[in-house]
Amino acid sequence: MTLGEIAQTRLSEIASCSATGAGVTRLPFTPEHRLALNHIRHWMTAAGLEVHMDAAATLVGRLEGPVGSKTLLIGSHQDSVPNGGRYDGIMGVLLPCLALEKLHSDGETLPFSVEILAFADEEGVRFPTALLGPRALAGTYDNSVLDLADQDGVTLRAAITEFGEDPPQLDRLARNPADILGYLETHIEQGPVLETHDAPLGVVTGICGIERNNVRFVGRTGHAGTVPMADRRDALVAASRLIASVADTAKATNTVRATVGAISVQPNAVNAIPETADFPLEVRSISDEARQDFTDQIRVLGAQIARDSGLAFEMEQTYVQPAVACDIDLSETLAGAVQHAGFPLITLPSGATHDASAMSDLCPIAMLFVRCKHGLSHRPDEHANAADMNAAVDAIAGFLASLAASGSTRNHHEPPL
Ligand SMILES: [Zn+2]
């Protein structure tokens, strides 16, 4: 059995730690989460790691390196979306465990410590917040999130405490950046680029920035049969023109992905001219400058469309998260490992947020993407094949071996032995 086939078996086993329904539904701090930790604990123990759960309910497996050595963090998340797949997140916890098993059986020892992290909550489905685990490590979490409640009124504080941990201890989790070599995350691509290139693996250049805007056109309602076409101030017609331009303008940039995924119209009746049209505009790009330029263009265009048809126009930014670049040195080491393992080097940005986004506040990050079938994720038929996961295990093991050979893994606080 290859390590990729072992990965496939273990992922199908842990997929049973799920609430009922199609696919995998594993929300944080639930009985399913607790069952999953038993599997992960076994994977970590088999990889020679000492296992404990921290105060953010992150399962931490540590391989102790020589005295005074830095620590390389590797991980991803255990949770899923409702009716999600069996690879998103959890695969990035399993494959590095297998890579450590492989290095161990090859007789390699590492001159640094390694920790594999299984974060509790990345998807942010249960609570209106996410990424508590990596934020606690980076020292960037906000205490007030502990008071946020799920739809049953259970606060995050109560959920973690009930799960067996102690939220007041969270502030002790922050790591000293000087002790950390970096953070590596392996994740399914969740898009079609690797499949298009017929490549099993991709090295991520960075994680796209995201902004969201509320856009509003206000016109005048009236009877659908009596108001002449020339006299209309139809908010939905104006919104439609702008939405079509959003897609065309984004297509022309090559770097921006822009989406209008919802719209609400008033009075919303079959025989009434729409008075208002409100929609969210979400924009993502690996370049913050390209994203801002794009949004500026859309704002000008919207104002012009409104002026031309006698409407009012508003556009207000409601959320912004800057892009995060992957570390050049770590990414080059990872790229070398991918090629050394015999695979083509494809580099690509991540359009989705990951635990690595929050970890970037602590230390340099790198990300490895694994091809997924038809680019599909967050659904029961999400799939990565055993050969591709085997390729990823080889690349992770190669990455660790290259870092070991590079000699830059000691903590600068400590004098050399
Ligand atoms: Zn994920």
Side-chain angles (χ1 to χ4, degrees):
M1 229 179 165
T2 67
L3 291 174
E5 287 161 352
I6 291 172
Q8 201 66 284
T9 304
R10 290 188 187 175
L11 288 174
S12 71
E13 287 164 359
I14 199 171
S16 67
C17 304
S18 169
T20 51
V24 176
T25 301
R26 191 164 59 241
L27 304 192
F29 323 116
T30 58
E32 298 79 54
H33 180 185
R34 199 182 292 284
L35 281 174
L37 292 185
N38 293 334
H39 289 258
I40 300 169
R41 220 174 254 118
H42 279 124
W43 304 345
M44 289 176 167
T45 308
L49 306 175
E50 285 285 329
V51 186
H52 76 277
M53 186 158 74
D54 78 14
T58 301
L59 199 69
V60 181
R62 182 169 170 94
L63 180 68
E64 197 65 47
V67 174
S69 61
K70 291 193 185 190
T71 301
L72 178 73
L73 305 174
I74 312 178
S76 195
H77 57 99
Q78 71 78 33
D79 64 322
S80 77
V81 295
N83 307 117
R86 52 173 68 169
Y87 302 87
D88 182 344
I90 192 66
M91 187 189 74
V93 177
L94 172 59
L95 299 188
C97 291
L98 291 170
L100 286 179
E101 281 191 45
K102 177 183 157 68
L103 285 178
H104 187 69
S105 69
D106 291 349
E108 288 249 19
T109 52
L110 298 171
F112 48 87
S113 303
V114 175
E115 284 182 25
I116 297 183
L117 308 166
F119 294 118
D121 182 10
E122 190 271 342
E123 300 289 1
V125 170
R126 180 171 172 190
F127 296 95
T129 180
L131 302 170
L132 181 67
R135 283 181 180 151
L137 297 182
T140 56
Y141 85 99
D142 176 353
N143 240 320
S144 67
V145 300
L146 293 171
D147 297 318
L148 296 171
D150 67 8
Q151 61 181 13
D152 298 324
V154 178
T155 63
L156 180 53
R157 184 191 310 277
I160 299 181
T161 306
E162 220 268 317
F163 202 68
E165 291 310 315
D166 192 7
Q169 306 297 315
L170 273 171
D171 49 2
R172 295 201 191 154
L173 293 181
R175 303 294 180 94
N176 181 353
D179 298 334
I180 307 298
L181 265 178
Y183 172 74
L184 172 69
E185 181 160 357
T186 304
H187 204 278
I188 56 161
E189 184 204 340
Q190 304 183 274
V193 174
L194 294 175
E195 199 171 65
T196 306
H197 286 86
D198 198 21
L201 304 175
V203 173
V204 177
T205 53
I207 299 169
C208 287
I210 306 175
E211 72 168 273
R212 297 193 175 124
N213 300 271
N214 283 341
V215 183
R216 179 176 178 83
F217 284 98
V218 182
R220 195 171 55 198
T221 189
H223 193 289
T226 61
V227 181
M229 295 310 290
D231 292 342
R232 295 191 180 200
R233 297 185 193 171
D234 185 324
L236 184 55
V237 170
S240 308
R241 291 204 171 107
L242 186 61
I243 292 166
S245 295
V246 162
D248 294 342
T249 311
K251 214 178 275 173
T253 65
N254 238 344
T255 53
V256 169
R257 288 177 186 159
T259 306
V260 176
I263 190 160
S264 99
V265 173
Q266 290 302 329
N268 201 27
V270 68
N271 58 354
I273 297 164
E275 172 138 338
T276 60
D278 291 274
F279 58 89
L281 167 62
E282 199 209 60
V283 188
R284 300 189 187 217
S285 177
I286 194 66
S287 157
D288 290 336
E289 199 186 344
R291 172 175 55 73
Q292 283 154 10
D293 283 353
F294 174 84
T295 311
D296 289 346
Q297 272 187 67
I298 297 303
R299 185 175 286 107
V300 169
L301 214 53
Q304 192 183 325
I305 290 168
R307 225 177 8 254
D308 291 350
S309 24
L311 279 76
F313 171 75
E314 287 165 34
M315 181 162 152
E316 185 199 0
Q317 189 181 74
T318 54
Y319 176 80
V320 65
Q321 171 188 315
V324 171
C326 287
D327 181 68
I328 290 171
D329 291 342
L330 286 181
S331 300
E332 272 177 9
T333 304
L334 186 59
V338 167
Q339 289 174 299
H340 187 73
F343 304 105
L345 175 61
I346 306 293
T347 58
L348 72 172
S350 170
T353 301
H354 296 287
D355 293 293
S357 313
M359 290 300 283
S360 71
D361 290 323
L362 172 66
C363 61
I365 60 161
M367 281 197 79
L368 179 68
F369 270 173
V370 179
R371 168 169 56 187
C372 62
K373 195 175 176 185
H374 304 324
L376 300 175
S377 76
H378 283 190
R379 23 190 289 176
D381 56 356
E382 175 184 285
H383 184 78
N385 69 43
D388 292 357
M389 290 194 283
N390 202 65
V393 172
D394 282 348
I396 298 165
F399 172 82
L400 292 168
S402 300
L403 270 189
S406 76
S408 61
T409 54
R410 295 196 57 79
N411 190 328
H412 298 302
H413 295 324
E414 303 276 339
L417 289 175

